Amino acid sequence: MVTTLYIIRHCQSAGNLTGRFQGRFDAPVSEAGEKQLDLLSLRFRNEHLDAIYSSPLVRAYRTAEAVNKFHGLPICKDEGLLEMDVGEIQNKTLSEIAEEYPQLAHNWDHAPDLCVFPGGETMAQVYERVGETIQRIVEENPGKVVAVVTHGGFIKNLNARIVYGSVEGLRKSAVFGNTSVSILE
């Protein structure tokens, strides 16, 4: 029995637009993000969906609503789909992080699997949470088609797990753009 997951990154937020490392900061959707939502709703207009799960953050939930525009399904807010908890660096610019946390900035660029976010999660914790959340969603929806709306850090960890089989795969893992859609069976 095949379960199909549409893994969808949220639309552009104000934080994405201004180059902020948002983490769980609940930034509003940008003007470009609003346009992305309109196009995404059309992308899913004729797709069969049995369920929709979303991170509770506004940028993700608004994206889930766009996916759901022509379906009328309940949207399950799922804390497991939240972006990385980056603690003290939440909503800072990359240049601020480089100045205040040079080792963390270096790891982010060269060895993201080694990142430990002060006051937040370690990347190893994020990697485990991602695996557990996806496994749970699959187990709750055997043989169904499910839209899963989440964040770039979550998806990058999922890609590292699937393609490379370990958290170290983050060093080679792809970056997924706003409103990207990936299919996982």
Side-chain angles (χ1 to χ4, degrees), residues 37-173:
L37 293 177
D38 289 339
L39 294 171
L40 189 65
S41 69
L42 293 174
R43 158 70 174 84
F44 279 93
R45 174 182 52 202
N46 296 317
E47 296 290 345
H48 171 78
L49 295 174
D50 295 304
I52 301 174
Y53 286 70
S54 177
S55 159
L57 296 179
V58 169
R59 59 193 184 265
Y61 195 78
R62 290 277 318 281
T63 303
E65 289 176 324
V67 168
N68 197 29
K69 184 174 182 177
F70 298 101
H71 298 282
L73 294 167
I75 299 172
C76 177
K77 288 184 180 180
D78 192 315
E79 299 274 327
L81 296 171
L82 280 165
E83 181 59 287
M84 300 176 290
D85 180 353
V86 296
E88 296 170 17
I89 66 169
Q90 179 173 281
N91 204 33
K92 291 184 182 274
T93 64
L94 294 175
S95 60
E96 289 170 334
I97 295 166
E99 185 176 308
E100 296 173 35
Y101 302 92
Q103 184 61 52
L104 178 59
H106 178 270
N107 286 350
W108 181 255
D109 288 339
H110 303 286
D113 52 298
L114 300 179
C115 285
V116 175
F117 300 106
E121 293 177 292
T122 67
M123 194 60 82
Q125 289 170 325
V126 176
Y127 181 85
E128 289 305 313
R129 174 171 55 85
V130 166
E132 291 166 2
T133 300
I134 291 298
Q135 185 63 40
R136 178 177 43 77
I137 291 171
V138 169
E139 289 171 1
E140 290 173 357
N141 297 279
K144 295 183 179 177
V145 178
V146 182
V148 177
V149 183
T150 187
H151 302 271
F154 185 101
I155 298 171
K156 187 173 172 108
N157 272 273
L158 181 58
N159 180 256
R161 177 177 287 280
I162 293 167
V163 176
Y164 303 104
S166 71
V167 69
E168 290 82 12
L170 284 166
R171 297 179 190 204
K172 300 179 273 187
S173 186

